[in-house]
Amino acid sequence: MSNENSSVQPMVKANPMGMQRELLQIVAMLSMLIDHIGAALYPDQFLFLRFIGRLAFPLYAFGIVQGFLHTRNIQKYVLRLGILALVSQFPFMWAFDYMELNVIATFFICILTLIAMDRTRIILLQIFIACIAFLLFSWIPTDYGTYALMMILIFRYTTSYFALLLHFFLNLYYYWTGGVIYQFISMVSTLGLIWGAKARPIPFTIPRWLWLSFYPGHLLILAIIKWLFY
């Protein structure tokens, strides 16, 4: 796994993870849309929508880590995430009636954590920084919170089947602490990232504006539909 922003390499030397970018973006956006239709419009019905939606988060977490590793300007990358988090907050709260920060804000905190961790090679200091981030997520209500931080760390510092194993234990802990059992479906996406590195490219590209605007845009549309018809 190449890294343009840090000399820190994955702890486990294994086959690289990945997926053809357009395929990853399509699956991530569609599964997230299906999940949010279920969460916003049918919270007590059509549970299969939430099952399908479990595919989205690992793909977005992986994409965030890849953006962190390969961006040419980490400051601009962090700034884009911060702006996107601000723009998304009102549609997020309106669509779901949640009084917490949206998942882009969660990713924003995770990226700041990675930047701080990568500025030192002292393992104990890196662990201390990660613990501070865990405490922050325990104080501030955020979408996915510590689960997101763990997924980000898994995709940053491990690869291949070891990442899948850690993802399993993360889901086990999530379920043990009161999470939904169908979160285990999210492991399908991690498996897809392991197997998908050699996938053939799709002969078209996803417009950058669509990828960046999809999260706040679809939330706003769902919020309006919910307000008008539900």
mmCIF file of all heavy atoms in Angstrom, residues 98-143:
data_model
loop_
_atom_site.group_PDB
_atom_site.id
_atom_site.type_symbol
_atom_site.label_atom_id
_atom_site.label_comp_id
_atom_site.label_asym_id
_atom_site.label_seq_id
_atom_site.Cartn_x
_atom_site.Cartn_y
_atom_site.Cartn_z
ATOM 1 N N TYR A 98 -32.055 13.251 14.436
ATOM 2 C CA TYR A 98 -30.952 12.924 15.326
ATOM 3 C C TYR A 98 -30.309 14.205 15.843
ATOM 4 O O TYR A 98 -30.060 15.131 15.076
ATOM 5 C CB TYR A 98 -29.867 12.121 14.601
ATOM 6 C CG TYR A 98 -30.251 10.714 14.221
ATOM 7 C CD1 TYR A 98 -29.479 10.008 13.303
ATOM 8 C CD2 TYR A 98 -31.359 10.079 14.777
ATOM 9 C CE1 TYR A 98 -29.812 8.717 12.935
ATOM 10 C CE2 TYR A 98 -31.687 8.780 14.422
ATOM 11 C CZ TYR A 98 -30.911 8.108 13.498
ATOM 12 O OH TYR A 98 -31.230 6.827 13.134
ATOM 13 N N MET A 99 -30.022 14.241 17.124
ATOM 14 C CA MET A 99 -29.269 15.352 17.697
ATOM 15 C C MET A 99 -27.833 14.916 17.912
ATOM 16 O O MET A 99 -27.355 14.755 19.035
ATOM 17 C CB MET A 99 -29.919 15.806 19.004
ATOM 18 C CG MET A 99 -31.315 16.389 18.829
ATOM 19 S SD MET A 99 -31.345 17.846 17.729
ATOM 20 C CE MET A 99 -30.368 18.996 18.701
ATOM 21 N N GLU A 100 -27.150 14.678 16.806
ATOM 22 C CA GLU A 100 -25.747 14.276 16.855
ATOM 23 C C GLU A 100 -25.063 14.728 15.576
ATOM 24 O O GLU A 100 -25.723 15.145 14.623
ATOM 25 C CB GLU A 100 -25.622 12.762 17.022
ATOM 26 C CG GLU A 100 -26.209 11.962 15.881
ATOM 27 C CD GLU A 100 -26.144 10.461 16.118
ATOM 28 O OE1 GLU A 100 -26.111 10.044 17.297
ATOM 29 O OE2 GLU A 100 -26.127 9.703 15.138
ATOM 30 N N LEU A 101 -23.752 14.653 15.554
ATOM 31 C CA LEU A 101 -23.006 15.042 14.369
ATOM 32 C C LEU A 101 -23.106 13.954 13.306
ATOM 33 O O LEU A 101 -23.155 12.762 13.611
ATOM 34 C CB LEU A 101 -21.539 15.289 14.727
ATOM 35 C CG LEU A 101 -21.256 16.452 15.679
ATOM 36 C CD1 LEU A 101 -19.759 16.562 15.967
ATOM 37 C CD2 LEU A 101 -21.785 17.759 15.109
ATOM 38 N N ASN A 102 -23.112 14.369 12.042
ATOM 39 C CA ASN A 102 -23.233 13.415 10.949
ATOM 40 C C ASN A 102 -21.933 12.647 10.728
ATOM 41 O O ASN A 102 -20.898 12.971 11.305
ATOM 42 C CB ASN A 102 -23.667 14.136 9.664
ATOM 43 C CG ASN A 102 -22.612 15.120 9.186
ATOM 44 O OD1 ASN A 102 -21.616 14.748 8.592
ATOM 45 N ND2 ASN A 102 -22.846 16.404 9.463
ATOM 46 N N VAL A 103 -21.997 11.637 9.877
ATOM 47 C CA VAL A 103 -20.856 10.740 9.712
ATOM 48 C C VAL A 103 -19.663 11.438 9.051
ATOM 49 O O VAL A 103 -18.510 11.038 9.273
ATOM 50 C CB VAL A 103 -21.275 9.489 8.917
ATOM 51 C CG1 VAL A 103 -21.479 9.802 7.440
ATOM 52 C CG2 VAL A 103 -20.276 8.366 9.099
ATOM 53 N N ILE A 104 -19.894 12.466 8.251
ATOM 54 C CA ILE A 104 -18.768 13.194 7.658
ATOM 55 C C ILE A 104 -17.978 13.913 8.754
ATOM 56 O O ILE A 104 -16.745 13.972 8.710
ATOM 57 C CB ILE A 104 -19.249 14.196 6.594
ATOM 58 C CG1 ILE A 104 -20.104 13.484 5.543
ATOM 59 C CG2 ILE A 104 -18.053 14.872 5.930
ATOM 60 C CD1 ILE A 104 -19.377 12.406 4.776
ATOM 61 N N ALA A 105 -18.693 14.460 9.745
ATOM 62 C CA ALA A 105 -18.006 15.054 10.891
ATOM 63 C C ALA A 105 -17.214 13.998 11.646
ATOM 64 O O ALA A 105 -16.105 14.262 12.141
ATOM 65 C CB ALA A 105 -19.022 15.726 11.812
ATOM 66 N N THR A 106 -17.777 12.792 11.742
ATOM 67 C CA THR A 106 -17.049 11.685 12.363
ATOM 68 C C THR A 106 -15.764 11.395 11.605
ATOM 69 O O THR A 106 -14.687 11.246 12.196
ATOM 70 C CB THR A 106 -17.930 10.423 12.393
ATOM 71 O OG1 THR A 106 -19.151 10.702 13.074
ATOM 72 C CG2 THR A 106 -17.221 9.285 13.093
ATOM 73 N N PHE A 107 -15.854 11.313 10.287
ATOM 74 C CA PHE A 107 -14.662 11.076 9.466
ATOM 75 C C PHE A 107 -13.658 12.222 9.605
ATOM 76 O O PHE A 107 -12.439 11.998 9.568
ATOM 77 C CB PHE A 107 -15.060 10.899 7.998
ATOM 78 C CG PHE A 107 -15.673 9.570 7.679
ATOM 79 C CD1 PHE A 107 -16.698 9.473 6.743
ATOM 80 C CD2 PHE A 107 -15.238 8.411 8.294
ATOM 81 C CE1 PHE A 107 -17.266 8.247 6.433
ATOM 82 C CE2 PHE A 107 -15.795 7.171 8.000
ATOM 83 C CZ PHE A 107 -16.821 7.095 7.067
ATOM 84 N N PHE A 108 -14.157 13.430 9.737
ATOM 85 C CA PHE A 108 -13.284 14.591 9.912
ATOM 86 C C PHE A 108 -12.423 14.422 11.169
ATOM 87 O O PHE A 108 -11.197 14.631 11.134
ATOM 88 C CB PHE A 108 -14.137 15.854 10.012
ATOM 89 C CG PHE A 108 -13.370 17.120 10.263
ATOM 90 C CD1 PHE A 108 -12.698 17.764 9.237
ATOM 91 C CD2 PHE A 108 -13.324 17.677 11.533
ATOM 92 C CE1 PHE A 108 -11.990 18.932 9.461
ATOM 93 C CE2 PHE A 108 -12.620 18.843 11.780
ATOM 94 C CZ PHE A 108 -11.955 19.476 10.733
ATOM 95 N N ILE A 109 -13.035 14.020 12.267
ATOM 96 C CA ILE A 109 -12.289 13.790 13.514
ATOM 97 C C ILE A 109 -11.314 12.625 13.336
ATOM 98 O O ILE A 109 -10.175 12.673 13.822
ATOM 99 C CB ILE A 109 -13.259 13.518 14.672
ATOM 100 C CG1 ILE A 109 -14.144 14.739 14.922
ATOM 101 C CG2 ILE A 109 -12.498 13.135 15.948
ATOM 102 C CD1 ILE A 109 -15.253 14.514 15.936
ATOM 103 N N CYS A 110 -11.748 11.578 12.623
ATOM 104 C CA CYS A 110 -10.873 10.425 12.387
ATOM 105 C C CYS A 110 -9.634 10.811 11.583
ATOM 106 O O CYS A 110 -8.520 10.346 11.874
ATOM 107 C CB CYS A 110 -11.647 9.331 11.658
ATOM 108 S SG CYS A 110 -12.907 8.502 12.657
ATOM 109 N N ILE A 111 -9.810 11.668 10.580
ATOM 110 C CA ILE A 111 -8.670 12.090 9.766
ATOM 111 C C ILE A 111 -7.699 12.922 10.595
ATOM 112 O O ILE A 111 -6.469 12.766 10.486
ATOM 113 C CB ILE A 111 -9.156 12.885 8.535
ATOM 114 C CG1 ILE A 111 -9.815 11.941 7.529
ATOM 115 C CG2 ILE A 111 -8.007 13.633 7.878
ATOM 116 C CD1 ILE A 111 -8.872 10.904 6.949
ATOM 117 N N LEU A 112 -8.216 13.802 11.436
ATOM 118 C CA LEU A 112 -7.337 14.569 12.319
ATOM 119 C C LEU A 112 -6.556 13.639 13.247
ATOM 120 O O LEU A 112 -5.380 13.881 13.541
ATOM 121 C CB LEU A 112 -8.153 15.569 13.139
ATOM 122 C CG LEU A 112 -8.827 16.705 12.357
ATOM 123 C CD1 LEU A 112 -9.596 17.607 13.321
ATOM 124 C CD2 LEU A 112 -7.806 17.512 11.567
ATOM 125 N N THR A 113 -7.209 12.563 13.671
ATOM 126 C CA THR A 113 -6.542 11.565 14.511
ATOM 127 C C THR A 113 -5.415 10.887 13.753
ATOM 128 O O THR A 113 -4.302 10.727 14.277
ATOM 129 C CB THR A 113 -7.552 10.511 15.001
ATOM 130 O OG1 THR A 113 -8.607 11.151 15.713
ATOM 131 C CG2 THR A 113 -6.871 9.500 15.908
ATOM 132 N N LEU A 114 -5.669 10.501 12.500
ATOM 133 C CA LEU A 114 -4.626 9.862 11.688
ATOM 134 C C LEU A 114 -3.453 10.799 11.456
ATOM 135 O O LEU A 114 -2.286 10.376 11.504
ATOM 136 C CB LEU A 114 -5.200 9.419 10.343
ATOM 137 C CG LEU A 114 -6.164 8.234 10.330
ATOM 138 C CD1 LEU A 114 -6.477 7.849 8.892
ATOM 139 C CD2 LEU A 114 -5.599 7.050 11.079
ATOM 140 N N ILE A 115 -3.741 12.058 11.206
ATOM 141 C CA ILE A 115 -2.660 13.030 10.993
ATOM 142 C C ILE A 115 -1.783 13.129 12.233
ATOM 143 O O ILE A 115 -0.554 13.108 12.144
ATOM 144 C CB ILE A 115 -3.248 14.404 10.627
ATOM 145 C CG1 ILE A 115 -3.911 14.357 9.252
ATOM 146 C CG2 ILE A 115 -2.158 15.477 10.644
ATOM 147 C CD1 ILE A 115 -4.662 15.627 8.887
ATOM 148 N N ALA A 116 -2.423 13.215 13.385
ATOM 149 C CA ALA A 116 -1.666 13.301 14.636
ATOM 150 C C ALA A 116 -0.869 12.032 14.885
ATOM 151 O O ALA A 116 0.310 12.088 15.300
ATOM 152 C CB ALA A 116 -2.619 13.564 15.801
ATOM 153 N N MET A 117 -1.445 10.873 14.626
ATOM 154 C CA MET A 117 -0.745 9.604 14.848
ATOM 155 C C MET A 117 0.436 9.443 13.907
ATOM 156 O O MET A 117 1.484 8.918 14.288
ATOM 157 C CB MET A 117 -1.723 8.441 14.673
ATOM 158 C CG MET A 117 -2.779 8.328 15.754
ATOM 159 S SD MET A 117 -3.963 6.989 15.452
ATOM 160 C CE MET A 117 -2.889 5.546 15.621
ATOM 161 N N ASP A 118 0.277 9.902 12.663
ATOM 162 C CA ASP A 118 1.341 9.723 11.677
ATOM 163 C C ASP A 118 2.511 10.687 11.862
ATOM 164 O O ASP A 118 3.528 10.552 11.194
ATOM 165 C CB ASP A 118 0.771 9.886 10.264
ATOM 166 C CG ASP A 118 0.128 8.600 9.775
ATOM 167 O OD1 ASP A 118 -0.063 7.690 10.599
ATOM 168 O OD2 ASP A 118 -0.185 8.506 8.570
ATOM 169 N N ARG A 119 2.362 11.652 12.746
ATOM 170 C CA ARG A 119 3.450 12.600 12.978
ATOM 171 C C ARG A 119 4.451 12.090 14.004
ATOM 172 O O ARG A 119 5.414 12.794 14.331
ATOM 173 C CB ARG A 119 2.888 13.948 13.415
ATOM 174 C CG ARG A 119 2.168 14.659 12.275
ATOM 175 C CD ARG A 119 1.872 16.104 12.559
ATOM 176 N NE ARG A 119 1.314 16.764 11.392
ATOM 177 C CZ ARG A 119 1.023 18.050 11.328
ATOM 178 N NH1 ARG A 119 1.230 18.828 12.392
ATOM 179 N NH2 ARG A 119 0.520 18.573 10.221
ATOM 180 N N THR A 120 4.232 10.893 14.516
ATOM 181 C CA THR A 120 5.187 10.294 15.439
ATOM 182 C C THR A 120 5.361 8.819 15.101
ATOM 183 O O THR A 120 4.444 8.176 14.590
ATOM 184 C CB THR A 120 4.705 10.428 16.902
ATOM 185 O OG1 THR A 120 5.648 9.776 17.762
ATOM 186 C CG2 THR A 120 3.339 9.789 17.096
ATOM 187 N N ARG A 121 6.543 8.304 15.362
ATOM 188 C CA ARG A 121 6.793 6.876 15.176
ATOM 189 C C ARG A 121 6.813 6.147 16.515
ATOM 190 O O ARG A 121 7.106 4.957 16.567
ATOM 191 C CB ARG A 121 8.124 6.664 14.450
ATOM 192 C CG ARG A 121 8.129 7.211 13.024
ATOM 193 C CD ARG A 121 9.414 6.854 12.301
ATOM 194 N NE ARG A 121 9.415 7.349 10.926
ATOM 195 C CZ ARG A 121 10.400 7.130 10.061
ATOM 196 N NH1 ARG A 121 11.471 6.439 10.454
ATOM 197 N NH2 ARG A 121 10.329 7.605 8.841
ATOM 198 N N ILE A 122 6.509 6.850 17.568
ATOM 199 C CA ILE A 122 6.486 6.246 18.897
ATOM 200 C C ILE A 122 5.138 5.564 19.083
ATOM 201 O O ILE A 122 4.096 6.225 19.132
ATOM 202 C CB ILE A 122 6.717 7.305 19.992
ATOM 203 C CG1 ILE A 122 8.062 8.024 19.752
ATOM 204 C CG2 ILE A 122 6.691 6.656 21.372
ATOM 205 C CD1 ILE A 122 8.286 9.196 20.689
ATOM 206 N N ILE A 123 5.145 4.246 19.181
ATOM 207 C CA ILE A 123 3.911 3.475 19.222
ATOM 208 C C ILE A 123 3.039 3.874 20.401
ATOM 209 O O ILE A 123 1.819 4.034 20.266
ATOM 210 C CB ILE A 123 4.213 1.965 19.283
ATOM 211 C CG1 ILE A 123 5.011 1.531 18.045
ATOM 212 C CG2 ILE A 123 2.918 1.165 19.373
ATOM 213 C CD1 ILE A 123 4.281 1.726 16.747
ATOM 214 N N LEU A 124 3.648 4.054 21.568
ATOM 215 C CA LEU A 124 2.874 4.408 22.759
ATOM 216 C C LEU A 124 2.177 5.760 22.589
ATOM 217 O O LEU A 124 1.044 5.944 23.047
ATOM 218 C CB LEU A 124 3.768 4.427 24.000
ATOM 219 C CG LEU A 124 4.248 3.053 24.495
ATOM 220 C CD1 LEU A 124 5.166 3.227 25.702
ATOM 221 C CD2 LEU A 124 3.056 2.165 24.850
ATOM 222 N N LEU A 125 2.854 6.688 21.920
ATOM 223 C CA LEU A 125 2.249 7.994 21.681
ATOM 224 C C LEU A 125 1.097 7.876 20.683
ATOM 225 O O LEU A 125 0.064 8.537 20.831
ATOM 226 C CB LEU A 125 3.302 8.977 21.172
ATOM 227 C CG LEU A 125 2.843 10.428 20.982
ATOM 228 C CD1 LEU A 125 2.206 10.975 22.265
ATOM 229 C CD2 LEU A 125 4.019 11.308 20.544
ATOM 230 N N GLN A 126 1.254 7.023 19.673
ATOM 231 C CA GLN A 126 0.170 6.798 18.724
ATOM 232 C C GLN A 126 -1.057 6.211 19.435
ATOM 233 O O GLN A 126 -2.194 6.617 19.174
ATOM 234 C CB GLN A 126 0.632 5.853 17.619
ATOM 235 C CG GLN A 126 1.649 6.455 16.667
ATOM 236 C CD GLN A 126 2.078 5.471 15.597
ATOM 237 O OE1 GLN A 126 2.042 4.259 15.806
ATOM 238 N NE2 GLN A 126 2.484 5.981 14.452
ATOM 239 N N ILE A 127 -0.820 5.255 20.322
ATOM 240 C CA ILE A 127 -1.912 4.649 21.082
ATOM 241 C C ILE A 127 -2.593 5.699 21.961
ATOM 242 O O ILE A 127 -3.823 5.733 22.075
ATOM 243 C CB ILE A 127 -1.405 3.471 21.933
ATOM 244 C CG1 ILE A 127 -0.914 2.342 21.023
ATOM 245 C CG2 ILE A 127 -2.491 2.966 22.882
ATOM 246 C CD1 ILE A 127 -0.258 1.196 21.756
ATOM 247 N N PHE A 128 -1.786 6.572 22.578
ATOM 248 C CA PHE A 128 -2.334 7.629 23.421
ATOM 249 C C PHE A 128 -3.235 8.561 22.612
ATOM 250 O O PHE A 128 -4.331 8.936 23.057
ATOM 251 C CB PHE A 128 -1.197 8.423 24.067
ATOM 252 C CG PHE A 128 -1.661 9.607 24.866
ATOM 253 C CD1 PHE A 128 -2.232 9.434 26.118
ATOM 254 C CD2 PHE A 128 -1.527 10.900 24.364
ATOM 255 C CE1 PHE A 128 -2.667 10.524 26.858
ATOM 256 C CE2 PHE A 128 -1.960 11.993 25.090
ATOM 257 C CZ PHE A 128 -2.531 11.798 26.346
ATOM 258 N N ILE A 129 -2.800 8.922 21.403
ATOM 259 C CA ILE A 129 -3.601 9.797 20.537
ATOM 260 C C ILE A 129 -4.914 9.119 20.171
ATOM 261 O O ILE A 129 -5.983 9.741 20.195
ATOM 262 C CB ILE A 129 -2.800 10.166 19.274
ATOM 263 C CG1 ILE A 129 -1.609 11.042 19.643
ATOM 264 C CG2 ILE A 129 -3.694 10.866 18.248
ATOM 265 C CD1 ILE A 129 -0.614 11.243 18.511
ATOM 266 N N ALA A 130 -4.848 7.814 19.832
ATOM 267 C CA ALA A 130 -6.064 7.078 19.504
ATOM 268 C C ALA A 130 -7.012 7.034 20.703
ATOM 269 O O ALA A 130 -8.233 7.170 20.538
ATOM 270 C CB ALA A 130 -5.718 5.664 19.050
ATOM 271 N N CYS A 131 -6.462 6.867 21.900
ATOM 272 C CA CYS A 131 -7.302 6.837 23.107
ATOM 273 C C CYS A 131 -7.992 8.177 23.346
ATOM 274 O O CYS A 131 -9.161 8.219 23.770
ATOM 275 C CB CYS A 131 -6.458 6.452 24.322
ATOM 276 S SG CYS A 131 -5.938 4.723 24.342
ATOM 277 N N ILE A 132 -7.291 9.271 23.075
ATOM 278 C CA ILE A 132 -7.898 10.600 23.198
ATOM 279 C C ILE A 132 -9.081 10.724 22.247
ATOM 280 O O ILE A 132 -10.146 11.259 22.588
ATOM 281 C CB ILE A 132 -6.862 11.710 22.917
ATOM 282 C CG1 ILE A 132 -5.783 11.716 24.002
ATOM 283 C CG2 ILE A 132 -7.543 13.067 22.817
ATOM 284 C CD1 ILE A 132 -6.299 12.049 25.379
ATOM 285 N N ALA A 133 -8.901 10.207 21.018
ATOM 286 C CA ALA A 133 -9.994 10.251 20.041
ATOM 287 C C ALA A 133 -11.182 9.412 20.519
ATOM 288 O O ALA A 133 -12.338 9.819 20.369
ATOM 289 C CB ALA A 133 -9.502 9.745 18.686
ATOM 290 N N PHE A 134 -10.910 8.249 21.116
ATOM 291 C CA PHE A 134 -11.987 7.417 21.652
ATOM 292 C C PHE A 134 -12.749 8.156 22.739
ATOM 293 O O PHE A 134 -13.989 8.116 22.793
ATOM 294 C CB PHE A 134 -11.421 6.116 22.217
ATOM 295 C CG PHE A 134 -11.217 5.040 21.192
ATOM 296 C CD1 PHE A 134 -9.946 4.667 20.797
ATOM 297 C CD2 PHE A 134 -12.302 4.398 20.615
ATOM 298 C CE1 PHE A 134 -9.753 3.684 19.855
ATOM 299 C CE2 PHE A 134 -12.126 3.415 19.666
ATOM 300 C CZ PHE A 134 -10.848 3.053 19.283
ATOM 301 N N LEU A 135 -12.028 8.834 23.612
ATOM 302 C CA LEU A 135 -12.682 9.609 24.665
ATOM 303 C C LEU A 135 -13.528 10.733 24.075
ATOM 304 O O LEU A 135 -14.639 11.000 24.549
ATOM 305 C CB LEU A 135 -11.635 10.181 25.617
ATOM 306 C CG LEU A 135 -10.927 9.190 26.549
ATOM 307 C CD1 LEU A 135 -9.833 9.884 27.351
ATOM 308 C CD2 LEU A 135 -11.934 8.528 27.489
ATOM 309 N N LEU A 136 -13.003 11.378 23.040
ATOM 310 C CA LEU A 136 -13.749 12.458 22.393
ATOM 311 C C LEU A 136 -15.068 11.937 21.832
ATOM 312 O O LEU A 136 -16.119 12.577 21.995
ATOM 313 C CB LEU A 136 -12.899 13.076 21.286
ATOM 314 C CG LEU A 136 -13.491 14.281 20.553
ATOM 315 C CD1 LEU A 136 -13.711 15.443 21.517
ATOM 316 C CD2 LEU A 136 -12.575 14.712 19.404
ATOM 317 N N PHE A 137 -15.016 10.766 21.187
ATOM 318 C CA PHE A 137 -16.243 10.192 20.631
ATOM 319 C C PHE A 137 -17.214 9.747 21.725
ATOM 320 O O PHE A 137 -18.425 9.681 21.490
ATOM 321 C CB PHE A 137 -15.911 9.015 19.714
ATOM 322 C CG PHE A 137 -15.470 9.421 18.328
ATOM 323 C CD1 PHE A 137 -14.257 9.000 17.810
ATOM 324 C CD2 PHE A 137 -16.282 10.222 17.549
ATOM 325 C CE1 PHE A 137 -13.856 9.365 16.535
ATOM 326 C CE2 PHE A 137 -15.897 10.601 16.271
ATOM 327 C CZ PHE A 137 -14.674 10.175 15.766
ATOM 328 N N SER A 138 -16.696 9.425 22.900
ATOM 329 C CA SER A 138 -17.584 9.043 23.997
ATOM 330 C C SER A 138 -18.265 10.260 24.608
ATOM 331 O O SER A 138 -19.315 10.136 25.248
ATOM 332 C CB SER A 138 -16.798 8.290 25.078
ATOM 333 O OG SER A 138 -15.871 9.144 25.733
ATOM 334 N N TRP A 139 -17.684 11.447 24.411
ATOM 335 C CA TRP A 139 -18.258 12.691 24.951
ATOM 336 C C TRP A 139 -19.184 13.385 23.961
ATOM 337 O O TRP A 139 -20.163 14.014 24.352
ATOM 338 C CB TRP A 139 -17.151 13.648 25.361
ATOM 339 C CG TRP A 139 -16.308 13.156 26.497
ATOM 340 C CD1 TRP A 139 -16.689 12.305 27.491
ATOM 341 C CD2 TRP A 139 -14.943 13.486 26.753
ATOM 342 N NE1 TRP A 139 -15.653 12.065 28.352
ATOM 343 C CE2 TRP A 139 -14.554 12.784 27.932
ATOM 344 C CE3 TRP A 139 -13.998 14.288 26.118
ATOM 345 C CZ2 TRP A 139 -13.280 12.876 28.467
ATOM 346 C CZ3 TRP A 139 -12.728 14.382 26.656
ATOM 347 C CH2 TRP A 139 -12.379 13.678 27.818
ATOM 348 N N ILE A 140 -18.834 13.296 22.676
ATOM 349 C CA ILE A 140 -19.586 14.000 21.638
ATOM 350 C C ILE A 140 -20.427 12.990 20.859
ATOM 351 O O ILE A 140 -19.881 12.041 20.288
ATOM 352 C CB ILE A 140 -18.642 14.742 20.671
ATOM 353 C CG1 ILE A 140 -17.752 15.722 21.437
ATOM 354 C CG2 ILE A 140 -19.428 15.465 19.584
ATOM 355 C CD1 ILE A 140 -16.709 16.391 20.562
ATOM 356 N N PRO A 141 -21.745 13.149 20.821
ATOM 357 C CA PRO A 141 -22.581 12.220 20.053
ATOM 358 C C PRO A 141 -22.356 12.388 18.548
ATOM 359 O O PRO A 141 -22.582 13.461 17.990
ATOM 360 C CB PRO A 141 -24.008 12.600 20.460
ATOM 361 C CG PRO A 141 -23.912 14.013 20.932
ATOM 362 C CD PRO A 141 -22.552 14.176 21.524
ATOM 363 N N THR A 142 -21.890 11.339 17.917
ATOM 364 C CA THR A 142 -21.606 11.362 16.485
ATOM 365 C C THR A 142 -22.133 10.093 15.834
ATOM 366 O O THR A 142 -22.238 9.044 16.477
ATOM 367 C CB THR A 142 -20.092 11.455 16.204
ATOM 368 O OG1 THR A 142 -19.432 10.334 16.825
ATOM 369 C CG2 THR A 142 -19.502 12.742 16.734
ATOM 370 N N ASP A 143 -22.457 10.173 14.566
ATOM 371 C CA ASP A 143 -22.910 9.003 13.814
ATOM 372 C C ASP A 143 -21.741 8.038 13.638
ATOM 373 O O ASP A 143 -20.700 8.412 13.099
ATOM 374 C CB ASP A 143 -23.448 9.465 12.457
ATOM 375 C CG ASP A 143 -24.214 8.364 11.745
ATOM 376 O OD1 ASP A 143 -24.659 7.411 12.407
ATOM 377 O OD2 ASP A 143 -24.377 8.472 10.508
#
